[in-house]
């Protein structure tokens, strides 16, 4: 699909829940958020109808996210149904990894193509301070599980002066020692993220250059996202930088987002979206959804 600015849109991020089992300081308040009632959340069958309409338009790559997608009941079956939908070329997952070790094998069997883990800290205590939960070892086990299963794996880190400044080089080293990519994502001024001073990709690159030497731009294909990838000397995987603030990347945007409560958004910065749930529940046809 081409949008009105000439960009090819072939990727959709689907949030399957607004709930989460962690409370990362930049994302969820300690008391959690007022959960959307269950009947306001799209059912899996409804999401699949949106996907069928999307496929007709050339949206063929999908990512499941949240909240925390692995806490939603039936998620493995949903991955299978999504992967088996005619025209779908890839299904990826973004997760905090807490539940992945126990579910990885079933997700792999369901056809999951790739997984991104969010990992901002490299020790249990710092992780606990940031997320409110003492589960760092489970996340690390989740990453090991994905690597063991041969699922394409990335690790995402939001750099912060507080919480993880001492961990950036160690997190990057996961890409030195394992066949995975690490990405540093600049903090975006959305939600609780507004309360944090963003650390620029340049600041992280300077730290990594001092530790690991001069990188070269990576020529490998790394997926559907807006990251710029580099290869550091001696690293197995690459290190990517998603610089939402310091570099305008809107010109290369390829995606739409479907929120758990059924809004279709063309941009993360759009407050409102299109009420797809209303359309679905008023009996709209596939053609109407595509339109
Ligand atoms: N719970 C899953 C997880 O943490 O991977 C999926 C949802 S989470 C909202 C997806 C990603 O968004 C995580 O990597 C998280 O670090 C990132 N994120 C959340 N708030 C952000 C912000 N204000 N700026 C940049 N990234 C943010
Ligand atoms: Fe949950 Fe992910 Fe937000 Fe952390 S970043 S609170 S894991 S949704």
């Amino acid at each position: 699909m081409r949008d009105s600015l000439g960009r090819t849109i072939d990727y959709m991020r689907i949030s399957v829940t607004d709930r989460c089992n962690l409370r990362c300081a930049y994302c969820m308040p300690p008391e959690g958020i007022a959960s959307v009632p269950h009947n306001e959340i799209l059912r899996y069958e409804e999401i699949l109808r949106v996907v069928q309409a999307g496929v007709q338009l050339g949206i063929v790559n999908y990512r499941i996210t949240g909240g925390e997608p692995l806490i939603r009941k039936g998620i493995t079956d949903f991955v299978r149904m999504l992967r088996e939908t005619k025209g779908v070329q890839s299904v990826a997952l973004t997760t905090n990894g807490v539940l992945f070790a126990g579910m990885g094998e079933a997700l792999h069997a369901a056809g999951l193509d790739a997984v991104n883990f969010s990992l901002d800290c490299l020790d249990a205590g710092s992780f606990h301070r940031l997320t409110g939960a003492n589960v760092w070892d489970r996340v690390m086990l989740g990453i090991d599980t994905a690597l063991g299963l041969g699922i394409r794996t990335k690790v995402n880190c939001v750099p912060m002066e507080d919480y993880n400044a001492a961990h950036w080089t160690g997190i990057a080293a996961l890409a030195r020692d394992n066949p995975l990519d690490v990405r540093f994502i600049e903090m975006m001024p959305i939600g609780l993220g507004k309360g944090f001073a963003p650390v620029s990709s340049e600041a992280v690159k300077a730290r990594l250059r001092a530790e690991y030497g001069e990188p070269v731009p990576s020529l490998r294909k790394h997926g559907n996202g807006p990251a710029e990838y580099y290869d550091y000397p001696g690293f197995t995987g690459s290190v990517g930088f998603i610089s939402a603030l310091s570099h305008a990347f809107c010109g290369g945007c390829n995606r739409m987002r479907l929120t758990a409560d059924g809004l279709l958004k063309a941009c993360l910065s759009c407050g409102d979206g299109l009420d797809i749930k209303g359309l679905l529940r008023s009996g709209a046809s596939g053609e109407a959804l595509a339109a």
Side-chain angles (χ1 to χ4, degrees), residues 7 9 11 13-15 26-27 65-67 158 185-191 193-194 226 242-245 249-250 253-260 263-273:
R7 301 173 297 190
I9 309 296
Y11 176 61
R13 290 177 72 99
I14 299 170
S15 169
Y26 56 83
C27 182
T65 179
V158 178
I185 304 178
E186 281 179 354
M187 179 78 73
M188 284 181 267
I190 49 174
K194 286 182 194 146
I242 300 183
S243 315
L245 292 174
F249 60 17
C250 303
C253 185
N254 61 351
R255 61 196 53 196
M256 303 204 81
R257 294 163 191 273
L258 183 61
T259 67
L263 294 174
L264 190 66
K265 293 190 176 186
C267 178
L268 196 59
S269 305
C270 289
D272 295 328

Side-chain angles (χ1 to χ4, degrees), residues 47-66:
I47 299 175
L48 290 170
R49 286 190 58 209
V50 176
V51 170
Q52 284 155 6
V55 162
Q56 287 179 42
L57 301 170
I59 302 175
V60 292
N61 299 308
Y62 291 85
R63 175 171 298 279
I64 302 169
T65 179

Side-chain angles (χ1 to χ4, degrees), residues 34-46:
S35 289
V36 177
H38 276 296
N39 63 348
E40 295 299 326
I41 298 287
L42 287 186
R43 297 189 292 274
Y44 288 139
E45 310 84 79
E46 292 175 323

Side-chain angles (χ1 to χ4, degrees), residues 73-95:
K73 215 168 141 209
I75 190 71
T76 305
D77 289 334
F78 174 63
V79 167
R80 178 177 303 103
M81 288 186 286
L82 182 55
R83 194 64 186 87
E84 288 173 353
T85 300
K86 194 162 169 260
V88 169
Q89 291 179 6
S90 69
V91 174
L93 176 76
T94 297
T95 175

Side-chain angles (χ1 to χ4, degrees), residues 17-29 65-69 94-98 118 120 127 130-131 158:
T17 180
D18 58 330
R19 296 161 202 238
C20 190
N21 48 355
L22 295 185
R23 297 283 179 267
C24 302
Y26 56 83
C27 182
M28 291 250 175
T65 179
E68 172 48 38
T94 297
T95 175
N96 60 34
V98 174
S118 301
D120 296 325
F127 187 91
L130 175 67
T131 67
V158 178

